[in-house]
Amino acid sequence: MLNVALFGPPGCGKGTQAELLCQHFRLLHLSTGELLRAERREASELGRRVDAIMKEGELVPDDIVGELVRKEVRRALNENLGVLFDGYPRNLSQLEALESLLGELETEIHCYVSLEISDEKVIGRLTSRRTCSDCGKVYNLIWHKPRRDDTCDNCSGELYQRSDDRPEAIARRLEEYHGQTSPIMDELNTRSVLHHVSAERSIAEIQDDLVDILEARKATIGQG
Ligand code: AMP
């Protein structure tokens, strides 16, 4: 079983890469952003609580996200699946919470990878991102186009622009990433366990690098 944490600023293509890796390695795709968006779509009590926070591009409180993660990790273990963490952990206390949860369950993160891209490129990409209002599938009108601009290829749902893909919210999310998530990279660099991959390339090139990194790590699991 392989557990992976994928880091990267909003708009670096992390969700797309995560989906491909999950198919390749048969992992559960645990995207906290997607879990939270699903709660908002269903207008659950939790969804209503986090709505305004997410619209502003701010981070949802750790205990709410931690509970969603705990449930999903247990589900993966029951199904004997490794987990790809996408968008979690987002700050040092989430890193600590995740490591302690996995420790309790007698497992760990085997591979940490950071996708790297400049803020300028992020802004260009996010303003052309569209998401399906039914199934949550993500497109980009420039480099991952749906067959029709406003319709999901998967389920024919309507595509919309996320409220947190507005310029003010993008700026806020980049600020959160540099302020809150970068300290995780510093910590993992200190431990020499973080792989760095440039995300300023094609989907296929990035994916090739990621597959190589994960294959190499997978081969060492269980060899002490
Ligand atoms: P994402 O799809 O990962 O860009 O996440 C979208 C939004 O969901 C973020 O801007 C946050 O408001 C919220 N979110 C996602 N993951 C987390 C997390 N690990 N901790 C706190 N908030 C999160």
Side-chain angles (χ1 to χ4, degrees):
M1 215 173 61
L2 178 73
N3 297 319
V4 181
L6 195 55
F7 299 101
C12 70
K14 185 161 46 76
T16 305
Q17 294 298 336
E19 265 180 42
L20 294 169
L21 288 176
C22 286
Q23 285 161 18
H24 188 105
F25 291 94
R26 221 177 83 78
L27 306 174
L28 180 107
H29 183 184
L30 199 167
S31 157
T32 43
E34 190 41 44
L35 290 172
L36 291 163
R37 277 189 293 282
E39 297 283 343
R40 284 167 85 197
R41 282 197 295 275
E42 289 160 18
S44 67
E45 195 200 324
L46 194 153
R48 290 196 299 272
R49 269 170 71 195
V50 300
D51 191 57
I53 304 175
M54 290 178 72
K55 272 194 187 130
E56 295 308 315
E58 288 176 11
L59 291 186
V60 168
D62 291 346
D63 55 336
I64 295 183
V65 184
E67 197 43 47
L68 291 174
V69 167
R70 181 175 285 270
K71 255 195 243 160
E72 285 295 290
V73 168
R74 287 191 180 278
R75 186 162 76 86
L77 283 190
N78 283 339
E79 292 176 23
N80 215 12
L81 289 174
V83 180
L84 189 146
F85 294 90
D86 164 2
Y88 188 88
R90 225 35 175 239
N91 58 33
L92 280 175
S93 66
Q94 292 184 6
L95 175 68
E96 209 176 293
L98 179 61
E99 290 184 328
S100 122
L101 168 68
L102 295 179
E104 275 169 37
L105 300 169
E106 295 180 355
T107 184
E108 62 183 304
I109 297 287
H110 301 100
C111 198
Y112 292 96
V113 187
S114 163
L115 291 176
E116 299 181 347
I117 182 171
S118 70
D119 287 1
E120 293 69 33
K121 286 232 164 52
V122 161
I123 293 162
R125 285 182 179 195
L126 286 185
T127 43
S128 50
R129 177 154 81 175
R130 297 293 180 274
T131 305
C132 175
S133 51
D134 288 339
C135 72
K137 191 171 165 66
V138 179
Y139 298 88
N140 186 291
L141 299 181
I142 300 166
W143 49 281
H144 181 35
K145 276 171 80 70
R147 282 192 292 275
R148 283 177 42 203
D149 269 8
D150 54 355
T151 308
C152 178
D153 292 350
N154 230 9
C155 73
S156 302
E158 193 180 334
L159 302 184
Y160 73 103
Q161 180 169 36
R162 282 168 40 176
S163 50
D164 60 356
D165 283 345
R166 287 171 296 120
E168 318 81 78
I170 294 172
R172 186 82 192 98
R173 289 160 70 206
L174 280 169
E175 215 178 284
E176 291 283 13
Y177 189 76
H178 294 305
Q180 306 263 355
T181 312
S182 296
I184 301 185
M185 315 304 167
D186 298 339
E187 164 63 22
L188 297 173
N189 278 329
T190 310
R191 297 190 213 162
S192 304
V193 293
L194 183 63
H195 296 271
H196 300 264
V197 170
S198 165
E200 297 193 1
R201 298 175 297 158
S202 71
I203 293 179
E205 284 170 311
I206 301 167
Q207 181 66 192
D208 284 350
D209 277 8
L210 292 173
V211 168
D212 285 350
I213 291 169
L214 267 58
E215 290 283 10
R217 181 64 181 102
K218 198 174 166 194
T220 65
I221 297 175
Q223 293 177 8

